[in-house]
Amino acid sequence: MKVIWFASQNENKIKEVKEMIPEMEVKSLNDLNDTLDIPENEPTFEENARFKAKTLSKIVDGIIIADDSGLSISNLNNFPGIYSARWANPEKDWNIINEMLLEKLLQNGLVNEKQRKAFLHLL
């Protein structure tokens, strides 16, 4: 079975990739002997994904894929956007992070559905 490496630690994303390509063995950052936390400091989703793939390619051989994704709220200048996974650091609990985001919406007077228009970048 061919192996493909996915530059992610997100268990849900890893599971989805495994379901999309069952004919391949999908390995991820979680399969490395040493923990590798690849920073996502690039200015775009595309560049973050490219950086993650290039970083992993220095450690493993074979096919490598990477992604980046994030929620962008139009009336908050597309916040949190590329910072979606880390804007609330050090908080990691998504329930608390969601509450923090709702509070930010309220602080900015964004109270109804139309004002809270958002989209998900997925690369």
Side-chain angles (χ1 to χ4, degrees):
M1 182 177 283
K2 278 193 166 188
V3 174
I4 189 167
W5 284 87
F6 183 32
S8 179
Q9 294 174 312
N10 183 310
E11 289 294 340
N12 290 325
K13 288 182 180 181
I14 295 164
K15 180 180 178 222
E16 289 174 359
V17 170
K18 286 180 178 183
E19 290 171 356
M20 286 189 282
I21 48 175
E23 64 278 3
M24 297 189 84
E25 179 183 358
V26 177
K27 291 191 173 190
S28 71
L29 298 178
N30 299 338
D31 292 304
L32 297 172
N33 291 332
D34 296 321
T35 302
L36 178 63
D37 188 19
I38 303 173
E40 296 179 0
N41 298 325
E42 302 303 318
T44 67
F45 292 102
E46 294 85 0
E47 290 173 273
N48 274 334
R50 188 176 300 115
F51 181 77
K52 290 192 280 187
K54 284 182 180 181
T55 301
L56 184 56
S57 75
K58 295 175 185 175
I59 298 168
V60 301
D61 290 323
I63 301 167
I64 299 170
I65 60 173
D67 81 315
D68 195 24
S69 60
L71 177 70
S72 293
I73 301 168
S74 299
N75 284 330
L76 290 179
N77 294 317
N78 294 326
F79 177 86
I82 62 169
Y83 306 104
S84 293
R86 59 194 180 279
W87 73 271
N89 277 343
E91 185 57 61
K92 296 290 183 194
D93 183 318
W94 284 106
N95 291 320
I96 294 172
I97 293 170
N98 286 338
E99 289 297 323
M100 291 168 65
L101 187 55
L102 287 171
E103 182 62 32
K104 187 167 187 70
L105 289 167
L106 289 173
Q107 288 172 351
N108 283 276
L110 306 175
V111 295
N112 66 46
E113 207 174 285
K114 189 173 182 178
Q115 293 171 319
R116 293 179 175 188
K117 180 181 170 189
F119 55 95
L120 180 68
H121 286 274
L122 182 57
L123 173 75

